Amino acid sequence: MEIQTDKGTICLARELFWDIPESNISATVAQSPEWVVPRVLEYGTLEEIRAIIELYGASKAIEIVKSVQLKPMARSMAYLFLDVDLPKLEERPLFYK
């Protein structure tokens, strides 16, 4: 789906925003980068990740990924796209005893 922003139009999959009404997606993208960046890093395509970094800027995206706990795939994408080496998460057992 195409989303209008201050910097132009970006294409992001509707599925990235499965929990948001379609009428609120543009506002969410504009007002909540701290929510959008991790979501796109975790579930977006390479093109969508590039679009989000271009929209918010690399420095803002780096600031966001350093302040949230990312899933392993998103951590890898942050390293590849933003050259951010995040500290490793503590190892957790799959099942607690």
Side-chain angles (χ1 to χ4, degrees):
M1 76 183 298
E2 292 187 355
I3 300 170
Q4 288 293 336
T5 69
D6 293 342
K7 296 183 179 181
T9 303
I10 62 170
C11 291
L12 298 174
R14 168 69 179 107
E15 292 80 11
L16 289 170
F17 306 98
W18 67 85
D19 52 348
I20 296 178
E22 194 165 339
S23 60
N24 294 347
I25 292 175
S26 291
T28 300
V29 169
Q31 299 169 2
S32 302
E34 67 283 345
W35 183 87
V36 175
V37 169
R39 176 70 64 102
V40 174
L41 286 172
E42 290 174 1
Y43 302 110
T45 65
L46 300 178
E47 292 80 20
E48 290 166 336
I49 294 170
R50 284 186 193 105
I52 286 298
I53 293 170
E54 188 176 319
L55 173 65
Y56 297 125
S59 59
K60 179 68 174 174
I62 290 169
E63 177 186 324
I64 291 167
V65 298
K66 285 183 174 182
S67 69
V68 298
Q69 193 170 29
L70 298 172
K71 293 180 181 179
M73 180 57 77
R75 293 168 57 79
S76 296
M77 292 297 115
Y79 179 77
L80 291 171
F81 281 88
L82 299 168
D83 198 27
V84 175
D85 195 14
L86 301 170
K88 291 189 176 197
L89 300 173
E90 64 182 68
E91 294 293 325
R92 296 183 197 146
L94 191 54
F95 300 99
Y96 294 99
K97 296 180 181 180

